[in-house]
Amino acid sequence: MAGKQWVAGFRSGVISPFEEIRLAEPRGFAGQTVRQALRLAGGGERLRVRLTNRYGRAPLAVGAAGVAVRKAGDAIVPETRHGLRFDGEGRVTIPAGGEVVSDPVALPVEAGTELALSLFLPGETELATYSHHPIELSHVADGDRVGDAELPEAEEVPSRFYVTGVDVLAPEGTAIAVAFGDSWFEGVGTTLGANRRSVDALNERLPRGWVVNEGIAGNRLLTEEVGEAGLARLTRDALTVPGATHVLVHLGINDLGLPGTVGLPPASAQDLVAGFTELAGRVRGAGLRVLVGTVGPFGGAIYPGVSTPEGLAARREVNAWLRGPGTEVFDAVFDSARAVESAEDPDLIRPEFDSGDGMHLNDAGARAMAGAVDLATLRL
C-alpha cells in the first residue's frame, strides 16, 4: 500500500531444544492447542505472524492457527478472532529448519495491544523450537481449541513456542530499534506477565517509533551455548528485521559468567572487545545505528561458578573500553551497569534493583536500565 510498510511489531528470540545447557525444560505436543500472549511494541492497520521450525529435525504440521486480541489469561475477545492462512490455506507444514509468514490479517492494532496466538498441533511433535524465558505464560489444551473464547483447565507453561514475531503494516518511515542481547533484555527477574522488562520501560519513554525484543536469557556474544552466539545470529535476528533502523546491544555477562558453571575460564576482555568491534562494524555496515550497554554487575550471583575474580576483572576491563575507545566504535554507549550497580561495590547490583539472585534485575532495576538510554543518542 502506498505510504505504508511492513515493520516488526513484536519479536521473540528462539533457541534449540536440543542444547546441552538448559535454563528451562523444552517440550513437545500431541493433538494439542497452544495459546500464547504476544504484546505488541507498535501497531498498524494489518498484521502478519511469523512461525518457525528453525531448530526442528522433522517437518512441523500446524492444523489450524488463529489470532485475536487477548482479554486476560487464556481468554480472547471473540469478535476480534481471525483465522490465519498461509498462501490461502488454513493448514501449513513447516519444513525442518524453515519458517513461514501468514497471509495479512485485517486486524488493526496499536502499541500495547496483547494478542493471543493459538496453534493447533494435530500430530505428535518433537521438542519445540522455543523462547525459554519470555516472562509470560502460554496455555496448552487438548484438541483443536483455536476458535474457543477460553481454555478452561489449560496447562500453564512459562515458555513460548514456534513463533518469532508479528509484523504490522505501519506508515513509511516508522523507526524500529531491535534490543539484541541476553536476559537483561528478555526480562528475567521481572514480574511474570506484567510487561516490566527493560525494553518495555524503554518503549514507555519513546516519543516515536518502538523497540522490539530479541533478548535471549543465557545468550553469549562469542559462543554458541544458550542460543546461537550473538555474532552468529546478528543478521537474522537484528539486521534483517523489517523496518529496523537501530540495534541496541546488551551482551557479555554470560561470556564471563556461564563458563565457570562447567569449570571453564571466562572469555577474555580482549576477545570480548574484538567481538563487540566486529558486531558494531557489521551493524554500521548494514546502514543501521548501533548502541551498546556496558556489561552489568554479577558479583553477587548465587549460581555456583558464575562469579569469579577473573570474570569480574574482565568485566571492568571491557566496561573501561566501552566507556573510552568504544564510544568511537559504537554510535552511542548507554551505561546500564553504572545505572544499577552498588556504590559500595560496583561488582554488585544495588539491593533495591536485585531480583534476588545477584545476577538479574527486578522491575525497578529494569526501569533504571531503560533510563540509562539517552533518547537524544537513540534518535528514533
Side-chain angles (χ1 to χ4, degrees), residues 242-317:
T245 55
H246 298 63
V247 178
L248 282 72
V249 179
H250 188 275
L251 287 164
I253 287 180
N254 298 307
D255 296 82
L256 297 173
L258 285 187
T261 64
V262 292
L264 296 175
S268 71
Q270 292 77 13
D271 285 345
L272 280 173
V273 167
F276 278 127
T277 301
E278 179 185 341
L279 184 149
R282 287 172 56 189
V283 176
R284 284 177 149 181
L288 281 64
R289 286 179 58 81
V290 58
L291 293 79
V292 66
T294 47
V295 182
F298 58 95
I302 63 174
Y303 310 107
V306 168
S307 177
T308 64
E310 297 80 10
L312 294 172
R315 181 186 89 92
R316 292 190 289 271
E317 189 174 342

Side-chain angles (χ1 to χ4, degrees):
M1 293 185 180
K4 303 288 183 179
Q5 67 177 126
W6 286 104
V7 301
F10 167 83
R11 281 299 182 271
S12 190
V14 296
I15 66 170
S16 169
F18 303 110
E19 296 182 355
E20 291 187 15
I21 294 182
R22 295 176 174 179
L23 305 184
E25 283 302 309
R27 64 169 294 165
F29 305 92
Q32 294 170 301
T33 295
V34 184
R35 179 168 289 175
Q36 36 208 336
L38 316 178
R39 186 175 192 265
L40 298 179
E45 60 188 53
R46 296 187 178 212
L47 62 85
R48 61 189 187 190
V49 178
R50 294 178 175 266
L51 302 182
T52 184
N53 191 23
R54 182 178 299 164
Y55 300 109
R57 299 173 178 177
L60 172 68
V62 179
V67 68
V69 174
R70 180 182 181 225
K71 182 184 292 183
D74 58 44
I76 63 172
V77 180
E79 57 268 27
T80 67
R81 183 172 51 212
H82 288 72
L84 293 180
R85 306 190 76 80
F86 304 86
D87 292 330
E89 301 294 328
R91 303 170 58 92
V92 67
T93 297
I94 310 174
E99 302 194 356
V100 296
V101 182
S102 76
D103 299 342
V105 174
L107 176 61
V109 290
E110 59 187 24
T113 297
E114 290 200 1
L115 297 177
L117 170 67
S118 301
L119 304 175
F120 172 52
L121 307 167
E124 184 172 351
T125 74
E126 58 180 359
L127 295 177
T129 295
Y130 70 136
S131 302
H132 64 157
H133 279 294
I135 319 303
E136 185 59 83
L137 291 173
S138 296
H139 296 84
V140 181
D142 292 336
D144 182 356
R145 309 289 295 280
V146 169
D148 289 11
E150 298 182 9
L151 303 179
E153 300 181 2
E155 175 189 2
E156 293 183 339
V157 184
S159 296
R160 189 181 287 132
F161 307 93
Y162 299 126
V163 58
T164 57
V166 177
D167 298 338
V168 294
L169 191 62
E172 284 186 358
T174 299
I176 306 297
V178 179
F180 181 78
D182 52 31
S183 57
W184 283 40
F185 278 154
E186 192 169 24
V188 174
T190 61
T191 302
L192 180 69
N195 300 303
R196 294 175 181 168
R197 311 165 190 87
S198 61
V199 178
D200 299 319
L202 179 56
N203 272 321
E204 292 175 7
R205 298 179 58 214
L206 296 178
R208 60 182 296 272
W210 58 81
V211 185
V212 294
N213 197 337
E214 287 276 16
I216 296 178
N219 199 221
R220 303 189 198 181
L221 174 64
L222 304 175
T223 305
E224 180 173 343
E225 196 73 69
V226 182
E228 296 177 41
L231 288 174
R233 70 183 183 98
L234 177 66
T235 297
R236 183 192 61 236
D237 286 353
L239 304 187
T240 57
V241 168
T245 55
H246 298 63
V247 178
L248 282 72
V249 179
H250 188 275
L251 287 164
I253 287 180
N254 298 307
D255 296 82
L256 297 173
L258 285 187
T261 64
V262 292
L264 296 175
S268 71
Q270 292 77 13
D271 285 345
L272 280 173
V273 167
F276 278 127
T277 301
E278 179 185 341
L279 184 149
R282 287 172 56 189
V283 176
R284 284 177 149 181
L288 281 64
R289 286 179 58 81
V290 58
L291 293 79
V292 66
T294 47
V295 182
F298 58 95
I302 63 174
Y303 310 107
V306 168
S307 177
T308 64
E310 297 80 10
L312 294 172
R315 181 186 89 92
R316 292 190 289 271
E317 189 174 342
V318 171
N319 282 349
W321 176 81
L322 288 171
R323 292 166 179 147
T327 58
E328 300 298 321
V329 173
F330 291 87
D331 290 295
V333 175
F334 56 98
D335 208 337
S336 47
R338 193 158 284 161
V340 302
E341 64 192 19
S342 167
E344 290 75 24
D345 185 348
D347 286 330
L348 302 179
I349 298 173
R350 287 169 57 179
E352 62 267 36
F353 293 155
D354 192 339
S355 69
D357 68 357
M359 192 174 183
H360 294 103
L361 303 176
N362 60 18
D363 296 356
R367 185 165 293 277
M369 178 183 178
V373 179
D374 183 348
L375 299 189
T377 63
L378 183 56
R379 300 210 312 252
L380 271 180

